[in-house]
Amino acid sequence: MRKTASEHFEYHQLIEVVMDLGRKPLARFPSGDFVLSDQPITSQDLEYATSQVGDFAIDNRAGISRTLHRISAIRNRKGAIIGLTCRVGRAISGSANLLRDLIKDGSSLLLIGPPGVGKTTIIREIARMIADDYKKRVMIVDTSNEIGGDGDIPHAGIGSARRMQVPNTDMQHKHTCNFEDIDSCSPTEKVLIEAVENHMPQVIVIDEIGTKLEAMAASTIAQRGIQLVATAHGVTIENLINNPSLEMLVGGIQSVTLGDEEASRRGGQKTVLERKGPSTFTCGAEIISKTELRVHRNLEATVDAVLAGRSAMYEARKINTYGSRDEVLTVGEEALNNFSSQKHDQLIIDNLLEMYDETPITDKVTSESAADMFEGSITPEASIRLYVYGILETTVIQAIRQLKVDNAVDITDNISEADALLALQSKLKKNKNTRIQAVAKTHDIPIYVTKTSSLVQITKAIRALMSEHSEGSNEVDAEDEMYSSEKIDALEEVRLAIEQVVIPKGDSVELLPRPYYIMSLQKDLVKTYQLQWEKLGKEPNARLRILPFQAQTDEDEEASGTIDTDSESEDSDLSGDMNGSAYIVDRLPLLPD
């Protein structure tokens, strides 16, 4: 078995070896399972393997002294070992670099991730980093000897950090821990308290907090001014909120009944969920993969947002192919609510406005065409851009990966760019979020609704989205091409009108009728020239008139530079309004390619 495994091309990426009685042994690699022998495993094979490792504790785990490898046993009803899972443990230097800024600040950090994603590897590197790089007193409470390895001498991967092992005591009995009397506590809780009281640590590292009493012990330690770094099983922060045993780590959850006035002001139910108290940890990190994390700098704000039904703010951090950190800030729905209604359109087209220079350009007008300014932002994309509302993005990403459509669906946080909107039904009903629905209607974005945020429901919705998109893909491509052409045309019309008529001749110019979303782009381009505009007519003949400097009266300035005229009579009566006759343009030419 050893010889066969060593000949595999992914030998250095070996994950674990599985030995089950009566079955062929398997080696698990990133590429898949690999059969190590055609001969099934016998009882003698299992006895020989277990004789080479340490004693199995009550959790059916054993190790090899001064290594990070873990051997887990499967027993029959009589207690005999009938299977082994031999997981390879590695200390990977640099695996915690994505979290270095949080660690350096002294923040208490909670790592969340499913089994096998690399939580223990990261927390081991964090312990070494704090002890060796930042010269702090670090104490590791090693529940199952995974962080420091088996044996009395810890693995070199933890650096100069110290390690306390947890005694192998039967923890099946029910008891209540009294933190004033540590003898009443379970072994893990007892070691945690002893670490604080006896060894003066500045930082305590815990792996896999799994019980309510361990969460209580961690909360007690955090209140004593000690930096805490811990891991817990889960996929997202919401999993901890919904876990009765671990909710204390994020402050605890309680049901609150609101008064009639407050319930009416919030526009929701009278009974809501709120955070009970301060969170044990300052910040949290959801481990998506070995190269990607989602960091919540303010864990309390994240919990409050989730309980309120909003999308929380987080940072998506990843390591690119060159090994350097690539950090992207993703803004949730709560950021949208912080903007005033005057800036709503600006938020919707935020990615387009970044193309403009905010400095005044009245004295020096650039000759660069609007088409050139937007050339980089109109790259065609084959994938579907999905805007998620009221559903955790990690669950949507999991559904996308399960359907194996990673290259076909991209999640966007800019609703104006989205091809479809996926929302939770409860978040859209009762007119609670008319702004989101209005924006979707304005941009003609189809809305896909799920009754629950379960993985099954989300998977069905994405499958329906893919099916409908594939049926109408040709039409969508044609619409995108037409929209891009119309956008360039409209912006070029504004530029030529300003540079050839409004500024040099001092005359106003009435533009051609455009859709609302195109006019919003035209307005922003006019603002960059520090000129004013007014809206004429109603849909579908709504259009803009660009006003010269002479037409900027004090009354106009008090009106924030815009005049909204819905009267259709102005379509024909424009002369004499603005210090000179208006310059009417039937069609302004595009600049040549």
Side-chain angles (χ1 to χ4, degrees):
M1 287 171 54
R2 183 186 301 112
K3 181 177 183 297
T4 305
S6 63
E7 293 174 352
H8 195 276
F9 71 97
E10 288 183 310
Y11 175 66
H12 294 288
Q13 284 78 45
L14 175 64
I15 299 172
E16 61 186 14
V17 174
V18 176
M19 302 169 60
D20 288 335
L21 184 63
R23 294 182 176 180
K24 297 178 182 179
L26 298 176
R28 289 176 175 166
F29 297 94
S31 60
D33 293 350
F34 179 71
V35 178
L36 293 177
S37 174
D38 292 331
Q39 300 297 323
I41 295 295
T42 64
S43 299
Q44 291 76 17
D45 295 329
L46 295 176
E47 291 176 3
Y48 176 80
T50 54
S51 67
Q52 305 300 309
V53 301
D55 297 331
F56 285 87
I58 191 67
D59 58 359
N60 282 320
R61 291 179 178 181
I64 302 173
S65 182
R66 304 188 72 172
T67 72
L68 300 175
H69 309 312
R70 186 184 77 188
I71 296 88
S72 302
I74 300 176
R75 299 179 183 270
N76 61 14
R77 298 182 64 181
K78 297 180 180 179
I81 296 176
I82 57 173
L84 293 175
T85 301
C86 310
R87 177 175 293 184
V88 178
R90 297 182 178 91
I92 303 178
S93 179
S95 57
N97 284 345
L98 290 175
L99 301 170
R100 182 178 288 272
D101 57 329
L102 303 178
I103 298 167
K104 184 178 180 180
D105 292 341
S107 303
S108 290
L109 176 63
L110 178 64
L111 302 175
I112 305 163
V117 78
K119 296 188 302 296
T120 304
T121 302
I122 294 177
I123 203 172
R124 183 187 301 117
E125 175 64 10
I126 289 175
R128 185 209 62 78
M129 183 186 298
I130 298 176
D132 292 353
D133 297 351
Y134 302 116
K135 308 301 179 183
K136 291 186 178 181
R137 299 187 300 272
V138 179
M139 184 65 69
I140 299 172
V141 177
D142 212 350
T143 307
S144 55
N145 285 0
E146 283 195 79
I147 300 179
D150 202 45
D152 297 334
I153 302 175
H155 189 269
I158 67 172
S160 59
R162 303 178 72 189
R163 189 264 300 266
M164 294 183 67
Q165 301 185 44
V166 178
N168 297 326
T169 304
D170 190 354
M171 299 173 57
Q172 300 302 320
H173 62 280
K174 301 295 181 181
H175 66 281
T176 301
C177 178
N178 178 8
F179 294 106
E180 299 298 329
D181 179 14
I182 63 174
D183 291 332
S184 67
C185 300
S186 70
T188 302
E189 298 146 17
K190 183 176 180 180
V191 173
L192 280 171
I193 297 171
E194 284 184 353
V196 175
E197 295 179 348
N198 297 345
H199 303 287
M200 292 179 57
Q202 294 173 298
V203 183
I204 285 187
V205 177
I206 318 168
D207 193 21
E208 293 186 10
I209 296 179
T211 67
K212 187 172 185 178
L213 293 174
E214 290 175 358
M216 291 174 62
S219 179
T220 302
I221 291 171
Q223 300 304 321
R224 302 189 185 191
I226 296 175
Q227 183 180 358
L228 197 60
V229 182
T231 66
H233 282 302
V235 179
T236 64
I237 301 292
E238 189 174 10
N239 296 142
L240 296 186
I241 295 175
N242 296 329
N243 189 332
S245 299
L246 302 180
E247 66 176 17
M248 181 175 292
L249 297 177
V250 293
I253 311 301
Q254 64 182 357
S255 178
V256 177
T257 301
L258 304 176
D260 293 338
E261 183 178 349
E262 180 65 16
S264 176
R265 186 184 68 82
R266 296 191 184 188
Q269 301 176 349
K270 292 194 63 175
T271 302
V272 297
L273 295 178
E274 290 187 353
R275 181 166 45 85
K276 186 183 299 183
S279 174
T280 301
F281 297 87
T282 309
C283 49
E286 299 169 353
I287 305 178
I288 308 301
S289 67
K290 289 180 171 59
T291 60
E292 184 178 358
L293 302 173
R294 290 192 173 183
V295 173
H296 299 263
R297 285 186 173 271
N298 189 333
L299 194 55
E300 293 182 355
T302 295
V303 175
D304 293 341
V306 172
L307 294 177
R310 304 191 308 269
S311 297
M313 295 180 63
Y314 62 86
E315 294 178 9
R317 301 182 177 185
K318 61 180 68 176
I319 300 176
N320 59 31
T321 55
Y322 301 100
S324 60
R325 190 174 101 180
D326 180 18
E327 180 177 325
V328 179
L329 178 64
T330 306
V331 182
E333 172 62 18
E334 63 179 11
L336 180 62
N337 295 329
N338 292 334
F339 282 82
S340 64
S341 59
Q342 294 179 347
K343 296 185 178 179
H344 182 59
D345 292 338
Q346 179 179 354
L347 177 68
I348 299 303
I349 58 168
D350 183 60
N351 65 319
L352 299 178
L353 296 184
E354 291 177 358
M355 294 294 179
Y356 295 120
D357 186 0
E358 297 179 356
T359 56
I361 54 174
T362 54
D363 295 331
K364 49 175 185 178
V365 180
T366 176
S367 60
E368 183 181 8
S369 69
D372 294 333
M373 298 169 71
F374 285 89
E375 183 178 359
S377 63
I378 310 177
T379 55
E381 296 182 10
S383 60
I384 303 173
R385 292 159 296 188
L386 182 64
Y387 183 86
V388 180
Y389 178 72
I391 305 174
L392 289 174
E393 289 187 8
T394 49
T395 309
V396 180
I397 292 174
Q398 188 176 356
I400 292 173
R401 291 176 177 173
Q402 183 172 321
L403 292 174
K404 297 182 179 180
V405 291
D406 306 57
N407 297 329
V409 180
D410 289 332
I411 295 180
T412 178
D413 53 1
N414 189 339
I415 193 172
S416 66
E417 291 183 345
D419 300 313
L421 189 150
L422 178 62
L424 194 63
Q425 185 178 22
S426 60
K427 304 299 181 183
L428 293 178
K429 66 180 182 179
K430 296 181 181 179
N431 296 325
K432 290 168 60 178
N433 291 286
T434 55
R435 292 176 61 189
I436 291 294
Q437 297 183 53
V439 172
K441 183 178 180 180
T442 300
H443 293 274
D444 196 23
I445 301 174
I447 301 178
Y448 294 80
V449 179
T450 63
K451 292 184 178 179
T452 67
S453 57
S454 66
L455 183 61
V456 176
Q457 291 282 338
I458 295 173
T459 303
K460 288 182 179 179
I462 295 178
R463 189 180 289 114
L465 165 65
M466 295 296 297
S467 176
E468 294 184 14
H469 185 78
S470 61
E471 292 175 0
S473 59
N474 294 334
E475 297 178 5
V476 172
D477 292 342
E479 290 178 1
D480 287 345
E481 184 177 353
M482 181 177 63
Y483 170 75
S484 299
S485 176
E486 184 178 7
K487 181 170 60 176
I488 298 175
D489 193 359
L491 293 171
E492 184 68 2
E493 180 184 10
V494 172
R495 190 191 70 81
L496 291 176
I498 293 174
E499 295 182 12
Q500 297 181 9
V501 180
V502 178
I503 292 178
K505 297 183 179 180
D507 293 335
S508 61
V509 175
E510 182 179 337
L511 304 179
L512 298 175
R514 301 284 184 181
Y516 165 77
Y517 52 87
I518 296 294
M519 282 198 300
S520 65
L521 298 179
Q522 291 179 318
K523 295 174 186 176
D524 292 302
L525 184 54
V526 172
K527 291 177 184 177
T528 62
Y529 286 85
Q530 290 193 341
L531 294 174
Q532 293 179 320
W533 51 267
E534 64 178 353
K535 181 182 175 183
L536 304 176
K538 297 181 179 180
E539 297 292 344
N541 295 318
R543 59 205 179 279
L544 295 182
R545 176 193 288 160
I546 305 176
L547 307 180
F549 291 106
Q550 297 92 328
Q552 295 185 17
T553 64
D554 294 338
E555 183 179 352
D556 294 335
E557 293 176 359
E558 293 176 1
S560 301
T562 63
I563 305 173
D564 192 356
T565 305
D566 291 331
S567 174
E568 290 286 353
S569 62
E570 295 197 18
D571 292 352
S572 58
D573 186 13
L574 294 171
S575 61
D577 254 356
M578 300 295 175
N579 293 336
S581 60
Y583 185 85
I584 307 301
V585 182
D586 292 332
R587 187 73 174 176
L588 288 172
L590 284 173
L591 291 180
D593 294 335

